[in-house]
Amino acid sequence: MSDNNRRPILGHGENLVGSFSKSNGGGEKSYPRSYEEAVNLVSSKLESLKADISAIPLNKKLDKVVVAVKLHESFLAKSYTPDTFFRNLDYENIGSRQWKTESGKESKLNFVKINPDNIENNINELMGFDTESFKNDLRKIEDIGLLEAEDIVLGFEDGWEKGRVELVLHPFEDTNIVLEKLFNLLNFSTEERESIKYKKYENGPLFVSLNISKEKLSNISTFNPLRTAHPLKVEVNTFNQEPFPVRVRAPEVLFEPSKKIGIIDGGVDISNPFFKPFVSQTFEISDLGSDQFLKHGTNVTSMALYGDLFDKYDNEKLSPPLLGVESIRAFPSTDPEDIDLYESIDFLEEVIPQLSEIDVFNISVGPVGSILDDDISRFTTALDYISYNYKKLFTVAVGNTGELDVPFNRIQSPADLVNGIGVGAYSVESSGEIIRAKYSSIGFGREGCKVKPDICEHGGSSERPLQVLNPEFYSMSNVIGTSFAAPVVARKAAELMLKSSDVGVLSARALLIQAASNEISDINAELGYGACVQNTDEILTCTENKITILYNNEMSVRNYAKLNIPLPQNSYAKKYKISWTIVTDTYPNPLFSEGYTSTALEDTFYPNENKFYYRFNKKARKMHIFKDADEIKKLEEQGYIKSTIQASTSPNKFSTEADLRSEQKWDTVVKKSSVHYSSTLEHPFIVLHALDRGEGRNRVRYSVAITIEAIDYEGDLYEEVLSEYKVLAPIGIKLESELRISL
């Protein structure tokens, strides 16, 4: 089919959403020990804890002490938190993280604040609480104690002696008391104290940025309110060759772009004629800037506006960009030799809410060092808060550490954000095969975004670099790196919204991932969901026999929604491929690193609304309630009972919470596909179940892109769907060719 015959994707899929009810079963939970054994274990742990707390110097603890309660590996889910145990002993649960058992299994550790003077009474009271919930809570516990320093100080290289460090401290009611204790412990001068930056989020941890020596870090590593400490070094980590004379001409200024992308970087010299008509720089951090960061910001902006200039012929006049750029100069900070990332984050938290007309922002600068599962940086937390509260989309370069040894090759913060897109880089083999660029940092991501990078874009290679414009109007450079892949994805996301008012932040993200090249059954740590489609017109349009339907909606937590898939009953196609991408946003909870996403959607695919399971003892038969009516009657006479819901082809439950996590249950993105003969499909649908972790979030926003492909079909599936499902309609779009003509 020619491009001229492509048709708009279909919108208003939310009109096909119906209600669905489902009973949540669950058998009796198996516990690792008896109640009597649990009492003895917990009593001995509390006795040891009392002695350990007494050994903490007074200047390293507050009136209340934070201790770690480790649970057995079978009790990883939030619902298994021993709340009755905590409540009865007056322990305050203030966060959690993963921990590995001696056998290497994944389990959960809860941080709780306790009054050490009450430990003896706690031991005596253990046998006094006679409720079943308290007894079962006691049986979940593996250990109670203080964390060792090596579990707190994370990510430092062997040769590290001094530098900027991010401290994450447990929440206490009076932040000033915690900080005063910390500052006294550090023995900082007044000038040194004034250079320290900190941020306390509502219902979140206290983040602190400071410059510190190895000796002083060792001293505070046993400061009881300290949760984690990790290095916080920022540098421009890209591959950049010597500049050469500019070989293209600036575009003719025919219009002012109606939509802009936010580029958060080192700024742009807007006197350059390639940038002046299309770039504004309203907000700048208070420092004087630096040539290094200015060059990086300009190169990134060049990619956002014009893309790769490698294939342009000499003296070619560039086409005016469809989108403009709002350059937000957030780097470097006051001291270019010691970049305080907190200055930049404070600046972004103030500026971005003011840019209400900009939906998409790109970040290609961040701290050096791979992410850590037990530690969430302030940068990541801040972006996820902004994304959720202001409905913004961030594209973030994952980093260029892909050639380092494991685990130093893992993606870098803040590309581990759950409400945005972490962008990796691919290169193209001589055969045309797309592979991960060897420098591109790899996944996995953290809980809530296991698939990282989300998608990849061409980032160049030594054999085939990207070409970009420099700050000086007379020069350009060859560049390589994820820094230059990320703004291209940002541009494509913004283009989708520019070309159609029916596409918002969530649906742009869903459409980009749905159209990406990979269809994965396992987590892909190299390319994520695959390479980004080159032309956004392809994302917004369908062919005769491959159509995409967009569903935009929200739902209450713990409820179910039935997304009916518009498969036409009058079609003669013999085989279909059905694929879907689900995207949500979530309020982040940095106190619970293993439960960072407060809400999520669980999906189950049902190919036939008239097929149910009939079960008797351990036997099960899948039957069509109309076509198999006679046989069903015989089964019912034998004692078979019909299931309350239709038969699915997706797993309804998994054996453990660890299995659920490996299936990305709590992730904000899900991408799946399934191929079926038409004879097995009858009014298929997907059921969404809105999950929450009991933190007061009542609604879940979502966007779903479902693609139906009729395989080897000579009819017109697109028209058949529109004819049968009148509630759907083509979205309003302007193709790039139309936009350029009108401009």
Side-chain angles (χ1 to χ4, degrees):
M1 182 178 185
S2 70
D3 288 344
N4 293 332
N5 292 324
R6 295 185 70 92
R7 308 162 191 186
I9 63 174
L10 302 180
H12 308 299
E14 56 273 14
N15 291 329
L16 296 174
V17 176
S19 60
F20 190 83
S21 60
K22 181 178 179 182
S23 60
N24 290 313
E28 186 177 345
K29 189 69 179 175
S30 175
Y31 292 87
R33 58 187 61 88
S34 68
Y35 168 60
E36 290 75 17
E37 291 170 331
V39 170
N40 291 333
L41 174 67
V42 173
S43 296
S44 66
K45 296 295 183 183
L46 289 175
E47 286 284 1
S48 299
L49 177 65
K50 184 170 61 171
D52 292 340
I53 292 175
S54 298
I56 302 175
L58 289 176
N59 64 341
K60 292 190 176 184
K61 63 182 176 183
L62 279 71
D63 292 340
K64 288 194 173 182
V65 174
V66 178
V67 302
V69 178
K70 297 178 179 178
L71 303 185
H72 186 269
E73 64 194 48
S74 301
F75 301 94
L76 184 58
K78 171 83 176 195
S79 58
Y80 293 129
T81 300
D83 291 321
T84 304
F85 172 76
F86 294 155
R87 184 170 56 252
N88 286 5
L89 297 189
D90 198 24
Y91 290 177
E92 182 185 355
N93 183 13
I94 58 170
S96 64
R97 62 184 251 194
Q98 294 179 6
W99 74 284
K100 296 286 187 180
T101 66
E102 291 183 1
S103 62
K105 296 289 184 66
E106 179 182 327
S107 191
K108 185 167 74 171
L109 173 160
N110 280 97
F111 293 108
V112 295
K113 270 193 297 190
I114 71 170
N115 185 338
D117 296 336
N118 293 339
I119 293 180
E120 191 61 44
N121 287 337
N122 294 157
I123 295 170
N124 296 331
E125 290 170 343
L126 288 180
M127 294 292 287
F129 298 109
D130 200 34
T131 64
E132 196 68 21
S133 61
F134 180 85
K135 291 180 178 180
N136 287 339
D137 276 358
L138 215 61
R139 297 166 72 188
K140 303 170 186 175
I141 296 171
E142 286 290 306
D143 194 12
I144 303 177
L146 302 173
L147 284 190
E148 300 292 333
E150 58 263 28
D151 295 322
I152 295 171
V153 179
L154 306 167
F156 290 84
E157 296 180 357
D158 292 339
W160 187 88
E161 292 295 332
K162 184 179 181 180
R164 186 158 291 279
V165 171
E166 181 170 64
L167 308 179
V168 183
L169 294 107
H170 295 289
F172 280 79
E173 288 183 10
D174 196 328
T175 297
N176 291 328
I177 292 177
V178 177
L179 289 172
E180 189 61 29
K181 280 259 187 183
L182 176 65
F183 295 163
N184 289 335
L185 196 60
L186 289 167
N187 194 27
F188 273 0
S189 65
T190 302
E191 184 180 357
E192 287 175 313
R193 285 192 179 200
E194 290 176 351
S195 70
I196 296 173
K197 300 288 192 306
Y198 59 88
K199 176 73 175 184
K200 174 69 170 68
Y201 289 97
E202 183 182 1
N203 300 321
L206 171 63
F207 293 98
V208 178
S209 168
L210 74 172
N211 211 307
I212 193 173
S213 67
K214 183 177 182 179
E215 180 183 2
K216 288 191 174 182
L217 178 61
S218 176
N219 185 37
I220 66 168
S221 66
T222 50
F223 180 51
N224 181 256
L226 181 62
R227 175 170 170 153
T228 57
H230 60 260
L232 193 64
K233 181 181 179 182
V234 178
E235 65 182 33
V236 177
N237 179 22
T238 56
F239 311 103
N240 206 314
Q241 298 178 5
E242 289 297 316
F244 53 87
V246 67
R247 58 183 190 78
V248 292
R249 288 188 292 151
E252 186 178 352
V253 182
L254 301 175
F255 65 97
E256 182 177 341
S258 60
K259 191 173 186 64
K260 291 183 176 181
I261 311 164
I263 299 292
I264 299 166
D265 215 287
V268 179
D269 184 350
I270 56 176
S271 66
N272 185 322
F274 284 94
F275 301 113
K276 186 175 182 179
F278 313 112
V279 180
S280 54
Q281 191 163 281
T282 309
F283 298 100
E284 300 184 33
I285 202 165
S286 58
D287 76 283
L288 297 177
S290 76
D291 291 343
Q292 181 189 24
F293 276 91
L294 177 63
K295 187 174 191 303
H296 188 268
T298 303
N299 293 162
V300 169
T301 300
S302 175
M303 284 298 296
L305 289 174
Y306 301 111
D308 179 20
L309 302 177
F310 187 89
D311 291 326
K312 300 296 181 184
Y313 58 80
D314 290 344
N315 209 35
E316 179 177 351
K317 181 187 287 187
L318 299 180
S319 298
L322 286 176
L323 295 140
V325 163
E326 178 67 41
S327 172
I328 301 140
R329 190 170 68 81
F331 301 98
S333 56
T334 305
D335 182 0
E337 300 301 316
D338 172 32
I339 298 171
D340 185 355
L341 189 60
Y342 278 30
E343 276 190 46
S344 299
I345 299 172
D346 289 343
F347 177 66
L348 295 178
E349 288 180 328
E350 176 187 351
V351 165
I352 292 176
Q354 299 179 52
L355 296 168
S356 57
E357 74 283 3
I358 297 178
D359 300 304
V360 183
F361 295 82
N362 180 78
I363 298 178
S364 292
V365 178
V368 176
S370 57
I371 65 166
L372 302 164
D373 287 320
D374 298 330
D375 181 36
I376 299 173
S377 74
R378 183 193 166 194
F379 204 176
T380 297
T381 301
L383 295 187
D384 276 326
Y385 276 133
I386 294 170
S387 295
Y388 183 83
N389 290 328
Y390 299 100
K391 298 181 181 179
K392 305 296 186 184
L393 175 61
F394 291 96
T395 58
V396 183
V398 299
N400 301 316
T401 59
E403 294 183 271
L404 298 182
D405 293 333
V406 176
F408 304 108
N409 61 347
R410 196 175 179 190
I411 66 167
Q412 300 177 330
S413 168
D416 57 331
L417 78 172
V418 298
N419 290 332
I421 298 176
V423 182
Y426 68 74
S427 58
V428 183
E429 298 277 80
S430 57
S431 63
E433 179 187 2
I434 288 176
I435 61 169
R436 176 182 66 89
K438 59 185 179 181
Y439 55 80
S440 184
S441 302
I442 68 169
F444 305 125
R446 66 171 63 260
E447 181 65 27
C449 56
K450 286 286 180 63
V451 177
K452 289 287 178 178
D454 293 274
I455 48 182
C456 289
E457 185 56 67
H458 188 212
S461 63
S462 56
E463 299 79 20
R464 168 57 172 88
L466 307 174
Q467 289 190 354
V468 294
L469 298 161
N470 288 330
E472 309 82 13
F473 72 90
Y474 53 80
S475 80
M476 55 197 302
S477 291
N478 289 319
V479 296
I480 302 167
T482 58
S483 283
F484 311 112
V488 178
V489 176
R491 168 162 48 83
K492 290 176 180 177
E495 274 184 14
L496 292 174
M497 288 181 263
L498 172 67
K499 293 175 179 179
S500 177
S501 59
D502 292 310
V503 177
V505 165
L506 279 181
S507 47
R509 196 168 148 213
L511 288 169
L512 282 171
I513 292 174
Q514 173 74 345
S517 60
N518 280 4
E519 295 181 10
I520 57 177
S521 55
D522 296 315
I523 299 172
N524 185 322
E526 298 267 330
L527 295 174
Y529 291 109
C532 199
V533 170
Q534 291 303 302
N535 190 328
T536 53
D537 288 349
E538 294 181 26
I539 298 175
L540 291 171
T541 56
C542 307
T543 61
E544 289 177 347
N545 293 316
K546 186 176 182 181
I547 64 172
T548 295
I549 305 98
L550 198 57
Y551 302 67
N552 292 311
N553 213 341
E554 62 178 54
M555 60 188 293
S556 299
V557 298
R558 304 181 190 179
N559 281 0
Y560 293 86
K562 179 184 179 185
L563 276 63
N564 291 296
I565 298 172
L567 197 70
Q569 298 304 297
N570 58 353
S571 175
Y572 295 99
K574 294 182 178 179
K575 186 186 284 189
Y576 293 98
K577 178 179 180 181
I578 301 174
S579 58
W580 60 94
T581 296
I582 301 167
V583 169
T584 66
D585 58 3
T586 184
Y587 193 79
N589 191 342
L591 287 174
F592 296 82
S593 61
E594 46 65 59
Y596 182 62
T597 47
S598 58
T599 55
L601 291 178
E602 185 180 28
D603 64 302
T604 309
F605 176 63
Y606 296 85
N608 193 317
E609 73 169 3
N610 291 318
K611 282 193 175 182
F612 291 77
Y613 278 110
Y614 286 77
R615 293 185 173 91
F616 178 65
N617 293 331
K618 294 183 179 181
K619 298 178 181 178
R621 300 279 301 277
K622 188 189 295 187
M623 310 298 291
H624 192 289
I625 57 174
F626 300 121
K627 296 177 182 178
D628 301 323
D630 292 341
E631 191 169 354
I632 288 171
K633 186 176 180 180
K634 295 176 182 177
L635 291 174
E636 288 175 335
E637 290 173 353
Q638 298 172 32
Y640 280 79
I641 297 174
K642 177 187 171 186
S643 60
T644 56
I645 58 174
Q646 290 89 340
S648 72
T649 58
S650 305
N652 290 319
K653 63 178 182 176
F654 302 90
S655 56
T656 67
E657 176 71 6
D659 292 335
L660 286 167
R661 290 162 190 263
S662 70
E663 291 283 340
Q664 299 108 258
K665 173 187 176 183
W666 287 100
D667 281 20
T668 55
V669 177
V670 172
K671 183 179 182 180
K672 296 179 181 177
S673 64
S674 189
V675 177
H676 298 266
Y677 285 103
S678 58
S679 58
T680 65
L681 296 171
E682 193 172 343
H683 301 295
F685 59 93
I686 294 171
V687 169
L688 301 182
H689 179 204
L691 307 168
D692 77 307
R693 299 187 196 264
E695 295 161 9
R697 299 292 151 186
N698 298 318
R699 304 287 288 175
V700 181
R701 301 185 292 240
Y702 67 85
S703 182
V704 182
I706 297 179
T707 299
I708 307 170
E709 180 179 3
I711 300 172
D712 298 327
Y713 183 49
E714 295 182 358
D716 192 330
L717 182 69
Y718 188 93
E719 288 300 328
E720 291 167 355
V721 169
L722 276 180
S723 175
E724 190 166 332
Y725 295 88
K726 305 294 187 182
V727 294
L728 299 177
I731 66 169
I733 62 171
K734 288 186 177 180
L735 301 181
E736 182 170 335
S737 56
E738 295 174 303
L739 285 169
R740 291 204 177 278
I741 290 171
S742 64
L743 296 171

